[in-house]
């Protein structure tokens, strides 16, 4: 089976590159992936792969049944949306949609998932069980397309026993795969704070509630929520990233707005921290003579890689790629809505090396210069197909 998959992945490699370049040239924002969804459906139809479209809006769920299809069901996931970034690469497949770019590699993820679907469809008489492939919208935007896919029944009828997903990693050379069992990626919640008080002349601060001063104190003191309350062995980050207030040099404004993000690796601490942030912020602002509106938007949960599933996936990856080409990856405070799947069924989310220092392909994700070594497409598609058949 391994040799058959490698041969098909190699045979389809030129088509994978063409597919990825088409997707890269025509990126669409979260939950607006209408043409991307049509393209995915066209590809699946051309290979005779049955699917359900319109899942969570623009999502597509493909189903490939091998022999004895009820024996086991394994899901694969590829996200399909792009980012609001203007591409700075000078390449033939540069984005044709102004201000939109596949800067996080979802064009790669979609191509890999399509490639795996094509391989699996070709080999469906040679493996047992069913492979369900989720082409998911809206990974980059709250509330996360994964949560909506789950609500729309993507993990039902039939229900997978495990789900696998991958993500590009430009810091890792092409040819390498990275795995980590257990806690892997952080939760991500958004914080919105508005401080309101009596504004006035800067020369008479005693007649005002100095919202700038109050907000400044709050930004600094909020860090104590992490340093004095969280277990230091459990990573957590609170960052205030926007401070908006005032409009001139001699007026204390009546309103200041703060925005930030809170990240955690532990779900219990995550929601305890929300309570502490609300309490601390409210009491400090009131004590300094102002009013406060605070909203914490609950986002993606922590991403947990099931130990048994991840252990098996890693061994299979070593068999497919060679043990020297499979490495450990570190904890990451970034967030991924694949985490929603990991909270529902056993999951493994791993990394696909896409960098090539010799060719100057080193730009990080979410940057205007992001690109990949396209040899990674054949590796990704083959690996996903092999893992699915062996599970």
């Amino acid at each position: 089976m391994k040799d058959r998959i490698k041969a098909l992945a190699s045979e389809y490699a030129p088509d994978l590159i063409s597919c990825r370049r088409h997707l890269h040239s025509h990126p669409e924002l979260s939950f607006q992936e209408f043409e991307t969804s049509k393209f995915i459906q066209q590809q699946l139809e051309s290979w005779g792969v049955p699917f359900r479209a319109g899942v969570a809006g623009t999502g597509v769920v493909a189903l490939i049944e091998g022999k004895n299809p009820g024996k086991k069901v394994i899901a694969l996931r590829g996200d399909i949306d792009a980012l609001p970034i203007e591409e700075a690469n000078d390449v033939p497949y540069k984005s044709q949609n102004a201000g939109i770019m596949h800067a996080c590699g979802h064009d790669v993820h979609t191509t890999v998932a399509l490639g795996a679907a094509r391989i699996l469809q070709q080999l469906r008489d040679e493996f047992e069980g069913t492979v369900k492939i989720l082409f998911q919208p809206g990974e980059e935007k709250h509330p996360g397309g994964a949560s909506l896919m789950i609500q729309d029944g993507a993990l039902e009828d039939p229900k997978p026993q495990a789900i696998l997903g991958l993500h590009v990693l430009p810091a890792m050379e092409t040819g390498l795969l990275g795995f980590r069992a257990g806690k892997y990626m952080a939760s991500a919640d958004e914080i919105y704070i508005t401080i309101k008080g009596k504004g006035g002349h800067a020369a008479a601060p005693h007649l005002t509630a100095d919202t700038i001063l109050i907000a400044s104190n709050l930004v600094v003191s909020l860090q104590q929520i992490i340093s004095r309350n969280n277990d230091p062995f459990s990573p957590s980050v609170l960052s205030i990233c926007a401070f908006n207030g005032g409009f001139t040099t001699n007026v204390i404004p009546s309103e200041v707005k703060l925005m930030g993000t809170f990240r955690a690796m532990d779900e219990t601490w995550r929601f305890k921290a929300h309570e502490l942030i609300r309490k601390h912020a409210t009491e400090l602002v009131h004590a300094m003579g102002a009013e406060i509106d605070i909203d914490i938007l609950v986002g993606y949960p922590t991403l947990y890689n099931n130990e048994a599933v991840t252990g098996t996936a890693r061994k299979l990856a070593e068999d497919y790629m060679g043990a020297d080409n499979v490495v450990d990856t570190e904890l990451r405070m970034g967030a991924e809505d694949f985490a929603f799947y990991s909270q529902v069924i056993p999951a493994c989310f791993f990394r696909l090396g896409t960098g090539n220092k010799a060719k100057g392909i080193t730009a990080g994700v979410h940057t205007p210069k992001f690109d990949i070594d396209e040899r990674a497409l054949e590796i990704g598609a083959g690996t996903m197909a092999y893992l699915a058949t062996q599970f």
Side-chain angles (χ1 to χ4, degrees):
M1 178 63 78
K2 177 172 63 176
D3 291 339
R4 292 277 284 126
I5 290 174
K6 284 192 172 184
L8 286 171
S10 177
E11 178 185 341
Y12 299 155
D15 293 339
L16 293 171
I17 293 173
S18 296
C19 175
R20 183 258 167 170
R21 291 187 175 191
H22 170 83
L23 292 167
H24 192 88
S25 298
H26 302 88
E28 295 175 292
L29 295 176
S30 302
F31 303 113
Q32 299 174 31
E33 313 94 335
F34 304 109
E35 295 304 316
T36 302
S37 183
K38 288 179 184 177
F39 177 79
I40 292 167
Q41 294 172 53
Q42 289 166 359
Q43 297 300 303
L44 295 173
E45 284 177 351
S46 71
W47 305 324
V49 177
F51 61 86
R52 176 164 71 101
V55 185
T58 51
V60 179
V61 177
L63 209 61
I64 301 166
E65 294 184 338
K67 297 179 298 183
N68 190 13
K71 182 176 182 181
K72 194 168 188 179
V73 182
I74 298 297
L76 309 178
R77 178 269 212 161
D79 39 3
I80 68 175
D81 56 325
L83 287 161
I85 293 176
E86 184 71 32
E87 183 163 9
N89 291 313
D90 183 15
V91 291
Y93 48 88
K94 182 177 180 178
S95 171
Q96 296 178 19
N97 297 337
I100 307 175
M101 178 190 174
H102 270 298
C104 198
H106 296 187
D107 53 338
V108 176
H109 306 165
T110 302
T111 300
V112 164
L114 283 169
R118 187 179 183 184
I119 292 169
L120 292 166
Q121 180 72 355
Q122 184 79 10
L123 301 177
R124 63 189 182 280
D125 294 330
E126 301 179 35
F127 67 89
E128 290 190 299
T130 296
V131 181
K132 178 179 265 192
I133 304 182
L134 280 57
F135 296 91
Q136 178 215 298
E139 191 280 326
E140 298 287 358
K141 187 173 182 180
H142 182 87
S147 67
L148 302 181
M149 292 282 281
I150 293 169
Q151 292 175 26
D152 210 358
L155 297 183
E156 304 298 332
D157 192 31
K159 183 174 182 177
Q161 279 75 62
I163 185 168
L164 310 173
L166 57 70
H167 199 293
V168 298
L169 184 57
M172 182 184 291
E173 286 286 293
T174 297
L176 299 178
L177 300 171
F179 289 82
R180 185 182 186 90
K183 295 178 181 178
Y184 180 42
M185 297 183 72
S187 60
D189 304 313
E190 298 174 5
I191 301 171
Y192 299 90
I193 297 173
T194 301
I195 298 169
K196 302 176 182 179
K198 182 183 177 183
H201 201 292
H206 61 293
L207 301 178
T208 74
D210 190 341
T211 53
I212 295 288
L213 179 62
I214 295 168
S216 299
N217 273 272
L218 182 58
V219 170
V220 173
S221 64
L222 277 174
Q223 296 305 319
Q224 296 171 21
I225 299 295
I226 306 299
S227 65
R228 299 296 91 184
N229 293 279
N230 182 45
D231 181 346
F233 291 100
S234 178
S236 190
V237 174
L238 173 61
S239 294
I240 301 299
C241 301
F243 190 125
N244 299 307
F247 50 88
T248 188
T249 61
N250 61 351
V251 176
I252 293 172
S254 59
E255 184 175 287
V256 172
K257 291 182 178 292
L258 306 175
M259 292 188 290
T261 183
F262 175 71
R263 310 289 175 111
M265 281 287 184
D266 180 272
E267 290 292 302
T268 300
W269 157 245
R270 177 191 185 191
F271 290 102
K272 178 183 177 182
H274 290 185
E275 296 175 6
L276 291 171
I277 291 167
R278 287 192 185 94
K279 184 175 186 292
H280 178 84
T282 299
E283 292 182 356
L284 184 146
V285 171
H286 286 170
M288 297 186 74
E291 297 300 318
I292 183 173
D293 292 328
I294 180 168
D295 184 25
I296 300 177
L297 191 63
V298 176
Y300 303 167
T302 53
L303 197 162
Y304 190 86
N305 275 337
N306 178 272
E307 286 88 348
V309 171
T310 304
T312 299
R314 179 174 183 143
K315 289 178 182 177
L316 292 169
E318 289 176 350
D319 182 42
Y320 187 78
M321 292 294 296
D324 291 343
N325 296 314
V326 179
V327 300
D328 295 326
T329 54
E330 71 282 3
L331 283 170
R332 304 184 75 87
M333 296 309 293
E336 236 287 348
D337 79 345
F338 186 87
F340 284 111
Y341 303 121
S342 79
Q343 297 286 325
V344 178
I345 59 174
C348 172
F349 192 66
F350 63 98
R351 295 285 165 169
L352 173 69
T354 57
N356 188 321
K357 293 178 182 176
K359 293 183 178 180
I361 303 173
T362 59
V365 295
H366 290 224
T367 68
K369 298 287 283 185
F370 171 77
D371 204 352
I372 68 158
D373 181 340
E374 290 177 318
R375 292 181 301 128
L377 299 169
E378 177 183 340
I379 295 168
T383 299
M384 287 293 258
Y386 185 66
L387 294 185
T389 61
Q390 299 310 297
F391 265 91

